[in-house]
Amino acid sequence: MNRRYGSSSTSVDAARTVANHYSARRNQTFEEREVSPIVHLRKLNNWIKSVLIQLYAHRGDVVLDLGCGKGGDLYKWDKAGITYYVGIDIAQGSIQDCHARYTNARFRFPARLICGDIAEMRLDQALADELPFDICSCQFALHYSWTTEARARRAIANISATLRPGGTCIGTIPDANVIIRKLRETRGLCFGNSVYSVRFDEEFSEKKFKSSSPFGIQYMFHLEGVVDCPESLVPFDVFESLVKEYDMELVFVKNFHEFVHHYMKLPKYKEMRTIGVLGGQSTISEDEWEVAYLYLSFVVRKRGQC
Ligand code: SAM
């Protein structure tokens, strides 16, 4: 990757690259998933999203899923007893797959699926008839908005504008502190293991990141069989200050390792062992566990009482 996506035209290119990448990804069969070298990581990610949903969703909730992908979380939302679901994704192919999954499974809630860019659309206008939402979920997607300040602001403003007072946003993004630390520990500009790689461009050869330009810090991310596209760092202090600026507050932030250690101890969530991620005969590999360390989960709440 030899380009920086800080300007608005290149940020449009980056968004298109991401949309094309996810659109082209076909659904793997159950058998393919089970033999994948990241099968346990996928289960771990699903478990983390399930715990977040169990912690923050309530029966009867109206849900907005930003970057909903192929609808991998629809079953989790059904289990939570929600009453309405809106899913938005920039990738037309993912929205089509999500639609197929929704219609085939006969979920108990009505749904609307929209193909669009959450960092460009005005969701208060596009969803005017459906507002407000009780809970917003943005799983492994918000960092794609961090290509420019305007896009990051639009994404955060969209979350705030669509939530009811007291409503919650649950999310997962790459952990910028871990990624920068790993970059600095490595000799060159690329690090990774048998299942992933992160590659920064020469312009970051000094491995210094100015706090005055916290947007458009791009790297190429490869995750075996799943991801191959440019991603952006989300410096968490900048994320938190935007959250505050847009009338929300941070409830918690936890790196995935901390999240697992914390919630696995609680009997209610210990099914991690039974779903075969940790502790059983077949367990997560060290290389997959290292990928988990690259991510964090966050929860923010819209100020005010409902
Ligand atoms: N949230 C889903 C999940 O957890 O299974 C999908 C995660 S996938 C890693 C990231 C998704 O974000 C992709 O489906 C991608 O198309 C979507 N995405 C990326 N940038 C987006 C944007 N600007 N607006 C809407 N969706 C976006």
Side-chain angles (χ1 to χ4, degrees):
M1 185 192 59
N2 282 313
R3 50 207 309 206
R4 182 148 186 185
Y5 292 104
S7 74
S8 60
S9 61
T10 49
S11 74
V12 171
D13 291 348
R16 209 29 42 225
T17 304
V18 170
N20 290 341
H21 167 71
Y22 282 105
S23 251
R25 261 194 61 210
R26 66 175 183 87
N27 267 327
Q28 286 182 312
T29 63
F30 175 75
E31 288 76 19
E32 284 169 334
R33 278 202 301 273
E34 285 299 306
V35 296
S36 150
I38 58 158
V39 60
H40 296 99
L41 177 68
R42 294 173 93 132
K43 289 180 180 174
L44 177 81
N45 290 345
N46 273 314
W47 176 81
I48 288 174
K49 292 189 289 181
S50 293
V51 173
L52 285 172
I53 290 172
Q54 286 175 62
L55 284 169
Y56 291 98
H58 301 97
R59 296 201 87 71
D61 271 358
V62 173
V63 176
L64 176 61
D65 192 352
L66 301 178
C68 61
K70 298 172 186 297
D73 294 340
L74 286 168
Y75 290 95
K76 303 177 189 74
W77 291 115
D78 197 41
K79 215 170 148 190
I82 65 167
T83 51
Y84 185 52
Y85 172 95
V86 175
I88 305 181
D89 201 283
I90 196 171
Q92 181 73 48
S94 300
I95 286 293
Q96 282 163 359
D97 287 348
C98 187
H99 185 260
R101 179 175 263 159
Y102 175 79
T103 34
N104 291 338
R106 298 176 183 276
F107 293 109
R108 290 168 294 174
F109 52 85
R112 180 180 172 200
L113 301 174
I114 301 168
C115 184
D117 185 339
I118 59 160
E120 297 288 339
M121 296 171 78
R122 285 281 309 250
L123 292 187
D124 54 342
Q125 294 169 0
L127 304 175
D129 295 340
E130 281 122 319
L131 295 179
F133 289 82
D134 300 297
I135 184 162
C136 168
S137 175
C138 194
Q139 305 299 339
F140 303 101
L142 190 63
H143 51 296
Y144 294 113
S145 307
W146 231 256
T147 45
T148 64
E149 179 170 357
R151 286 176 57 81
R153 280 184 177 275
R154 172 49 50 211
I156 300 289
N158 277 334
I159 294 172
S160 178
T162 48
L163 281 176
R164 66 165 166 76
T168 312
C169 174
I170 56 177
T172 42
I173 49 173
D175 187 329
N177 286 335
V178 171
I179 293 174
I180 291 174
R181 201 180 320 135
K182 280 187 168 288
L183 174 67
R184 288 179 178 155
E185 280 166 8
T186 201
R187 281 175 85 86
L189 289 166
C190 185
F191 59 88
N193 62 31
S194 67
V195 293
Y196 87 98
S197 68
V198 168
R199 184 162 47 87
F200 280 84
D201 191 59
E202 278 300 321
E203 73 177 291
F204 299 114
S205 56
E206 289 192 13
K207 305 185 181 182
K208 288 183 183 151
F209 300 94
K210 288 194 203 118
S211 57
S212 54
S213 353
F215 305 95
I217 305 171
Q218 298 262 324
Y219 55 90
M220 261 323 263
F221 184 60
H222 168 79
L223 180 61
E224 199 55 34
V226 190
V227 187
D228 232 327
C229 64
E231 301 202 340
S232 300
L233 287 183
V234 180
F236 202 78
D237 56 332
V238 179
F239 170 78
E240 189 176 358
S241 62
L242 281 189
V243 158
K244 284 186 184 145
E245 199 181 316
Y246 287 90
D247 211 20
M248 300 183 285
E249 62 198 2
L250 185 67
V251 177
F252 88 56
V253 51
K254 280 191 202 316
N255 179 277
F256 274 16
H257 280 193
E258 188 191 352
F259 189 102
V260 170
H261 289 131
H262 182 82
Y263 287 104
M264 234 186 49
K265 280 188 282 184
L266 308 182
K268 195 172 168 196
Y269 304 116
K270 74 172 181 346
E271 79 261 29
M272 274 276 275
R273 295 182 188 284
T274 51
I275 61 170
V277 177
L278 293 171
Q281 280 183 331
S282 145
T283 193
I284 193 162
S285 68
E286 270 184 37
D287 282 359
E288 288 173 286
W289 186 236
E290 185 179 326
V291 181
Y293 190 45
L294 301 180
Y295 289 89
L296 61 78
S297 58
F298 66 83
V299 178
V300 304
R301 185 173 294 133
K302 178 80 181 277
R303 290 210 182 92
Q305 296 291 315
C306 52

